[in-house]
Amino acid sequence: MAYFSFLINLALLGLILLLVPHQPFASSRAFFLPPYSDDDYGASQPLGNGICSAAVTIHGYKCQEYQVTTDDGYILSVQRIPGGGGGPPVLLQHGVLVDGMTWLLNSPEQSLAMILADNGFDVWISNIRGTRFSRGHVTLDASNPEYWNWTWDDLVIHDLPSVIELVFRQTGQKIHYVGHSMGTLIALASFSEGKQVDKVRSAALLSPIAYLSHMTTALGVVAAKSFVGEITTIFGLAEFNPKGEPVANFLKALCLGSGIDCYDLLTALTGKNCCLNASTVEVFLKNEPQSTSTKNLVHMAQTVRDGVLSKYDYGNPNFNVEHYGESRPPVYDLSRIPHDLPLFLSYGGQDALSDVKDVTTLLDYLKLHDVDKLHVQYIKDYAHADFIMGVTAKDLVYNQILAFFTNHSKP
């Protein structure tokens, strides 16, 4: 089950699953809010229990809550922190099993969202379908298995275009993009098909995920093998709820059966993070993890198993023909990403998920990229979580992103 799914969160969440009593199934559903506007690109909304009030305005920043409805009916939450300098918009996209709160866990001086706003950028935070701050579906309830019938392909096709279109309509400007882990995956896949590139100025990809063949986390490899096939038949669940008892039991069995020390899941899954603050991890555990679709994790496991980046494999040539017109799922060819699209990639030497060898494979697909449009940063001591929660990230990574965005903000 590759990646930021069985990733930093399953790492941290594993500590919860193994050390504290189980919470009732579907704890995430309590946070789904009903639609409150018929306008797919509605104006900002005053919500008392959104990210703005929980993590932004308490620090003295202005913040607005937006909603956007995808063309397949999912109602997503988006937050806006307008910078004071009239700078261009920046969209922050989180990984799987988390939500937009991950950009706001540290103090304002150390959180990327606030740092960008302090430097005049117009900051937008996206929350994908299924997360706590998303708003459900126009017709489907989260208790309906069809609500969870999606993979990251659908984020590429539906969620990412909808959120980018919202920002573009509201600002009239192209965006800078920041993704972490799965947030990099959906951007790379989209760009490879020529989508969204007309609305994107540049993209910063932290712990970039595309190829996972050299993932060094032992538990991640075991989990990926366990997720090969239609695992919903094992759980009887379409929703992978990390706080639900069926998933907890699965993880416990996985740990016991593999002989892996699951009391150090953070290191076992993400690599040894160098620079996490204990209080930040505590805040993280209060807010995360979030549910995702089990089918999404199956798709990620296929990436580990097959060694290629492709659309979801339905496991039967006839089913693939039905969906794609061919017996094998189409491959995302990352060499087709426009060579003049400014890209900033930052990866770590201790990252067990975004492994150095796999990032090298990604960079090989970008070898024809315009030299002055590709900036690559390697941080020897960084692992997966350091890029979003590390106390040194401001000095090592975020200042580089600021300079990169500033350099590519000219019309």
Side-chain angles (χ1 to χ4, degrees), residues 3 43 77 102 110 141 162 262 279 312 331 377:
Y3 154 96
S77 167
T102 56
Q110 295 176 330
D141 183 83
S162 297
C262 287
S279 61
Y312 181 77
V331 172
Q377 179 188 42

Side-chain angles (χ1 to χ4, degrees), residues 41 68 70-72 76 78 91-94 126-129 152-168 175 177-179 182-192 195-197 199-200 205:
Y41 297 94
V68 59
T70 66
D71 57 4
D72 61 343
L76 312 179
V78 184
L91 176 62
L92 306 181
Q93 180 59 65
H94 62 80
S126 170
N127 297 271
I128 64 169
R129 62 185 64 191
W152 58 262
D153 278 337
D154 296 284
L155 307 183
V156 174
I157 297 168
H158 306 293
D159 290 30
L160 186 61
S162 297
V163 174
I164 289 179
E165 181 65 19
L166 167 68
V167 178
F168 188 74
I175 71 164
Y177 180 91
V178 182
M182 189 182 70
T184 71
L185 172 64
I186 62 176
L188 289 167
S190 180
F191 298 159
S192 73
K195 299 174 182 177
Q196 312 313 315
V197 291
K199 299 183 180 70
V200 174
L205 309 177

Side-chain angles (χ1 to χ4, degrees), residues 281-322:
V281 174
E282 183 179 353
V283 173
F284 176 90
L285 290 174
K286 289 180 179 178
N287 290 280
E288 314 296 348
Q290 304 296 312
S291 291
T292 189
S293 76
T294 305
K295 186 177 178 181
N296 188 34
L297 301 187
V298 173
H299 192 185
M300 291 176 182
Q302 292 173 356
T303 304
V304 178
R305 178 195 65 192
D306 299 337
V308 297
L309 188 64
S310 66
K311 296 182 183 294
Y312 181 77
D313 189 343
Y314 286 87
N316 180 299
N318 293 330
F319 292 163
N320 285 329
V321 168
E322 180 181 342

Side-chain angles (χ1 to χ4, degrees), residues 200-241:
V200 174
R201 295 174 186 261
S202 70
L205 309 177
L206 310 179
S207 292
I209 294 291
Y211 304 97
L212 296 162
S213 299
H214 296 91
M215 188 173 59
T216 57
T217 159
L219 184 55
V221 172
V222 172
K225 292 178 180 178
S226 299
F227 270 79
V228 172
E230 194 58 52
I231 199 167
T232 50
T233 60
I234 299 175
F235 288 134
L237 299 173
E239 174 188 6
F240 188 89
N241 177 8

Side-chain angles (χ1 to χ4, degrees), residues 288-368:
E288 314 296 348
Q290 304 296 312
S291 291
T292 189
S293 76
T294 305
K295 186 177 178 181
N296 188 34
L297 301 187
V298 173
H299 192 185
M300 291 176 182
Q302 292 173 356
T303 304
V304 178
R305 178 195 65 192
D306 299 337
V308 297
L309 188 64
S310 66
K311 296 182 183 294
Y312 181 77
D313 189 343
Y314 286 87
N316 180 299
N318 293 330
F319 292 163
N320 285 329
V321 168
E322 180 181 342
H323 284 87
Y324 308 120
E326 49 192 292
S327 61
R328 295 287 300 167
V331 172
Y332 290 102
D333 183 358
L334 301 190
S335 67
R336 299 182 63 182
I337 294 174
H339 298 167
D340 60 350
L341 177 64
L343 297 177
F344 173 94
L345 278 70
S346 186
Y347 67 107
Q350 302 301 312
D351 196 331
L353 292 166
S354 180
D355 184 81
V356 171
K357 291 180 181 178
D358 288 324
V359 175
T360 300
T361 300
L362 168 60
L363 292 174
D364 189 55
Y365 278 90
L366 301 175
K367 62 186 176 183
L368 298 180

